[in-house]
Amino acid sequence: MTSRGGRRGQAELRRDHRRDRYALCSAVFAAAVVFGAVAGPALLFDLPGTAEGLPPRAGPVLAPVLFAVRVVSVPARFRPADQPSQPGRTSPDS
């Protein structure tokens, strides 16, 4: 149902599904890149002291946080604006 009480059309449903798939795919990619950038050097190279232990613990914490932020922010950014019910009107109650 739309905000005006009507049913959503097939085109709107497809648009919403594409937006959601884009949000999930881009979130997985971004989380993988962040995990690799943060934890990767510590796993590949011998780092001294704290630098060896901190990145492998920070990567698994930052990646899910970034994933969640991306999944929530993409649909919020691409939410269509409500259109007035009549041309020239500012709101349906005008």
Side-chain angles (χ1 to χ4, degrees):
M1 303 277 284
T2 64
S3 61
R4 286 177 257 122
R7 300 199 74 162
R8 296 192 316 174
Q10 197 67 21
E12 289 175 332
L13 289 173
R14 281 193 302 265
R15 181 197 65 216
D16 291 344
H17 286 239
R18 279 193 308 266
R19 183 196 61 212
D20 294 343
R21 285 192 304 262
Y22 169 75
L24 288 173
C25 290
S26 65
V28 166
F29 179 75
V33 168
V34 166
F35 178 80
V38 173
L43 298 173
L44 293 175
F45 304 114
D46 291 330
L47 300 175
T50 306
E52 187 175 346
L54 185 61
R57 282 182 262 151
V61 172
L62 291 176
V65 170
L66 177 65
F67 177 84
V69 168
R70 182 75 180 165
V71 167
V72 170
S73 68
V74 168
R77 187 174 36 168
F78 289 113
R79 182 172 296 139
D82 288 335
Q83 296 292 323
S85 60
Q86 297 177 355
R89 301 282 185 163
T90 56
S91 70
D93 296 333
S94 295

Short mmCIF file of all heavy atoms in Angstrom, two decimals, residues 20-32 34 61-75:
data_model
loop_
_atom_site.label_atom_id
_atom_site.label_comp_id
_atom_site.label_asym_id
_atom_site.label_seq_id
_atom_site.Cartn_x
_atom_site.Cartn_y
_atom_site.Cartn_z
N ASP A 20 16.56 -2.98 -3.04
CA ASP A 20 16.95 -3.83 -1.90
C ASP A 20 18.10 -4.75 -2.27
O ASP A 20 19.03 -4.95 -1.48
CB ASP A 20 15.76 -4.64 -1.42
CG ASP A 20 14.66 -3.78 -0.83
OD1 ASP A 20 14.94 -2.60 -0.49
OD2 ASP A 20 13.52 -4.26 -0.72
N ARG A 21 18.07 -5.33 -3.48
CA ARG A 21 19.19 -6.18 -3.91
C ARG A 21 20.47 -5.37 -4.04
O ARG A 21 21.55 -5.84 -3.67
CB ARG A 21 18.85 -6.86 -5.23
CG ARG A 21 17.86 -8.01 -5.07
CD ARG A 21 17.77 -8.84 -6.34
NE ARG A 21 17.42 -8.05 -7.51
CZ ARG A 21 16.19 -7.94 -8.01
NH1 ARG A 21 15.19 -8.57 -7.44
NH2 ARG A 21 15.96 -7.21 -9.08
N TYR A 22 20.36 -4.15 -4.56
CA TYR A 22 21.54 -3.28 -4.66
C TYR A 22 22.09 -2.98 -3.27
O TYR A 22 23.30 -3.02 -3.06
CB TYR A 22 21.17 -1.97 -5.37
CG TYR A 22 22.25 -0.94 -5.27
CD1 TYR A 22 23.42 -1.04 -6.01
CD2 TYR A 22 22.12 0.14 -4.40
CE1 TYR A 22 24.43 -0.10 -5.91
CE2 TYR A 22 23.12 1.09 -4.29
CZ TYR A 22 24.26 0.97 -5.04
OH TYR A 22 25.24 1.90 -4.92
N ALA A 23 21.20 -2.70 -2.32
CA ALA A 23 21.65 -2.40 -0.96
C ALA A 23 22.40 -3.59 -0.36
O ALA A 23 23.47 -3.42 0.24
CB ALA A 23 20.47 -2.02 -0.08
N LEU A 24 21.88 -4.79 -0.53
CA LEU A 24 22.53 -5.98 0.03
C LEU A 24 23.86 -6.27 -0.65
O LEU A 24 24.86 -6.54 0.03
CB LEU A 24 21.60 -7.19 -0.08
CG LEU A 24 20.40 -7.18 0.86
CD1 LEU A 24 19.47 -8.34 0.53
CD2 LEU A 24 20.85 -7.26 2.30
N CYS A 25 23.87 -6.22 -1.97
CA CYS A 25 25.12 -6.53 -2.70
C CYS A 25 26.21 -5.50 -2.41
O CYS A 25 27.37 -5.85 -2.18
CB CYS A 25 24.86 -6.60 -4.20
SG CYS A 25 23.89 -8.04 -4.67
N SER A 26 25.84 -4.22 -2.40
CA SER A 26 26.86 -3.20 -2.13
C SER A 26 27.31 -3.27 -0.68
O SER A 26 28.47 -2.98 -0.38
CB SER A 26 26.32 -1.81 -2.47
OG SER A 26 25.25 -1.45 -1.62
N ALA A 27 26.43 -3.66 0.24
CA ALA A 27 26.82 -3.80 1.64
C ALA A 27 27.79 -4.96 1.84
O ALA A 27 28.77 -4.84 2.58
CB ALA A 27 25.58 -3.98 2.52
N VAL A 28 27.54 -6.07 1.17
CA VAL A 28 28.47 -7.21 1.26
C VAL A 28 29.83 -6.83 0.70
O VAL A 28 30.87 -7.12 1.31
CB VAL A 28 27.89 -8.44 0.51
CG1 VAL A 28 28.94 -9.51 0.30
CG2 VAL A 28 26.70 -9.00 1.27
N PHE A 29 29.84 -6.16 -0.45
CA PHE A 29 31.10 -5.75 -1.07
C PHE A 29 31.86 -4.77 -0.16
O PHE A 29 33.07 -4.93 0.08
CB PHE A 29 30.85 -5.11 -2.43
CG PHE A 29 32.10 -4.64 -3.10
CD1 PHE A 29 32.96 -5.56 -3.68
CD2 PHE A 29 32.42 -3.30 -3.15
CE1 PHE A 29 34.12 -5.14 -4.30
CE2 PHE A 29 33.58 -2.87 -3.77
CZ PHE A 29 34.43 -3.78 -4.34
N ALA A 30 31.16 -3.75 0.37
CA ALA A 30 31.82 -2.77 1.23
C ALA A 30 32.35 -3.40 2.50
O ALA A 30 33.46 -3.09 2.95
CB ALA A 30 30.84 -1.64 1.57
N ALA A 31 31.59 -4.32 3.10
CA ALA A 31 32.04 -4.99 4.31
C ALA A 31 33.27 -5.85 4.04
O ALA A 31 34.21 -5.88 4.84
CB ALA A 31 30.92 -5.84 4.90
N ALA A 32 33.28 -6.54 2.90
CA ALA A 32 34.44 -7.36 2.55
C ALA A 32 35.69 -6.50 2.32
O ALA A 32 36.79 -6.87 2.74
CB ALA A 32 34.14 -8.19 1.31
N VAL A 34 36.30 -3.51 3.63
CA VAL A 34 36.75 -2.98 4.93
C VAL A 34 37.43 -4.06 5.74
O VAL A 34 38.48 -3.82 6.35
CB VAL A 34 35.57 -2.36 5.70
CG1 VAL A 34 35.92 -2.11 7.15
CG2 VAL A 34 35.15 -1.06 5.04
N VAL A 61 34.61 -6.55 13.66
CA VAL A 61 33.68 -5.64 14.32
C VAL A 61 33.20 -4.58 13.34
O VAL A 61 32.02 -4.26 13.28
CB VAL A 61 34.34 -4.99 15.56
CG1 VAL A 61 33.46 -3.90 16.13
CG2 VAL A 61 34.64 -6.05 16.60
N LEU A 62 34.11 -4.02 12.56
CA LEU A 62 33.76 -2.94 11.64
C LEU A 62 32.95 -3.42 10.44
O LEU A 62 32.05 -2.70 9.97
CB LEU A 62 35.03 -2.25 11.14
CG LEU A 62 35.79 -1.43 12.17
CD1 LEU A 62 37.08 -0.89 11.57
CD2 LEU A 62 34.93 -0.30 12.69
N ALA A 63 33.23 -4.60 9.93
CA ALA A 63 32.53 -5.08 8.74
C ALA A 63 31.02 -5.22 8.95
O ALA A 63 30.24 -4.72 8.13
CB ALA A 63 33.15 -6.40 8.27
N PRO A 64 30.53 -5.86 10.02
CA PRO A 64 29.08 -5.95 10.21
C PRO A 64 28.42 -4.59 10.47
O PRO A 64 27.29 -4.35 10.07
CB PRO A 64 28.90 -6.87 11.41
CG PRO A 64 30.17 -7.56 11.59
CD PRO A 64 31.23 -6.71 10.99
N VAL A 65 29.16 -3.71 11.14
CA VAL A 65 28.61 -2.37 11.38
C VAL A 65 28.42 -1.64 10.05
O VAL A 65 27.37 -1.04 9.79
CB VAL A 65 29.52 -1.57 12.34
CG1 VAL A 65 29.10 -0.11 12.40
CG2 VAL A 65 29.50 -2.20 13.72
N LEU A 66 29.44 -1.69 9.20
CA LEU A 66 29.32 -1.07 7.89
C LEU A 66 28.22 -1.72 7.07
O LEU A 66 27.46 -1.03 6.39
CB LEU A 66 30.65 -1.16 7.13
CG LEU A 66 30.62 -0.59 5.72
CD1 LEU A 66 30.38 0.91 5.76
CD2 LEU A 66 31.91 -0.90 5.01
N PHE A 67 28.09 -3.04 7.14
CA PHE A 67 27.03 -3.75 6.41
C PHE A 67 25.65 -3.22 6.84
O PHE A 67 24.82 -2.89 6.01
CB PHE A 67 27.13 -5.25 6.68
CG PHE A 67 26.04 -6.05 6.03
CD1 PHE A 67 26.15 -6.44 4.71
CD2 PHE A 67 24.90 -6.39 6.74
CE1 PHE A 67 25.14 -7.18 4.10
CE2 PHE A 67 23.89 -7.11 6.13
CZ PHE A 67 24.01 -7.51 4.81
N ALA A 68 25.43 -3.13 8.14
CA ALA A 68 24.13 -2.67 8.64
C ALA A 68 23.85 -1.22 8.24
O ALA A 68 22.73 -0.89 7.83
CB ALA A 68 24.08 -2.82 10.16
N VAL A 69 24.85 -0.38 8.34
CA VAL A 69 24.66 1.03 7.97
C VAL A 69 24.32 1.14 6.49
O VAL A 69 23.43 1.90 6.10
CB VAL A 69 25.92 1.85 8.32
CG1 VAL A 69 25.88 3.23 7.70
CG2 VAL A 69 26.05 1.97 9.84
N ARG A 70 25.00 0.39 5.66
CA ARG A 70 24.76 0.45 4.21
C ARG A 70 23.37 -0.08 3.86
O ARG A 70 22.67 0.51 3.04
CB ARG A 70 25.84 -0.36 3.50
CG ARG A 70 25.74 -0.35 2.02
CD ARG A 70 26.19 0.96 1.46
NE ARG A 70 26.06 0.93 0.01
CZ ARG A 70 26.11 1.98 -0.75
NH1 ARG A 70 26.32 3.16 -0.22
NH2 ARG A 70 25.98 1.88 -2.04
N VAL A 71 22.96 -1.18 4.47
CA VAL A 71 21.64 -1.76 4.17
C VAL A 71 20.52 -0.80 4.58
O VAL A 71 19.51 -0.71 3.90
CB VAL A 71 21.48 -3.14 4.86
CG1 VAL A 71 20.04 -3.61 4.84
CG2 VAL A 71 22.38 -4.16 4.19
N VAL A 72 20.71 -0.06 5.65
CA VAL A 72 19.69 0.88 6.10
C VAL A 72 19.73 2.18 5.31
O VAL A 72 18.69 2.75 4.98
CB VAL A 72 19.85 1.15 7.61
CG1 VAL A 72 18.96 2.29 8.06
CG2 VAL A 72 19.54 -0.11 8.40
N SER A 73 20.92 2.65 4.96
CA SER A 73 21.02 3.97 4.34
C SER A 73 20.61 3.99 2.86
O SER A 73 20.10 5.00 2.39
CB SER A 73 22.44 4.51 4.47
OG SER A 73 23.34 3.76 3.69
N VAL A 74 20.81 2.90 2.14
CA VAL A 74 20.46 2.90 0.71
C VAL A 74 18.96 3.05 0.50
O VAL A 74 18.53 3.93 -0.25
CB VAL A 74 21.02 1.65 -0.01
CG1 VAL A 74 20.43 1.50 -1.40
CG2 VAL A 74 22.53 1.74 -0.09
N PRO A 75 18.10 2.26 1.13
CA PRO A 75 16.66 2.47 0.92
C PRO A 75 16.19 3.83 1.43
O PRO A 75 15.30 4.43 0.83
CB PRO A 75 16.00 1.35 1.71
CG PRO A 75 17.03 0.29 1.80
CD PRO A 75 18.34 1.01 1.87
#
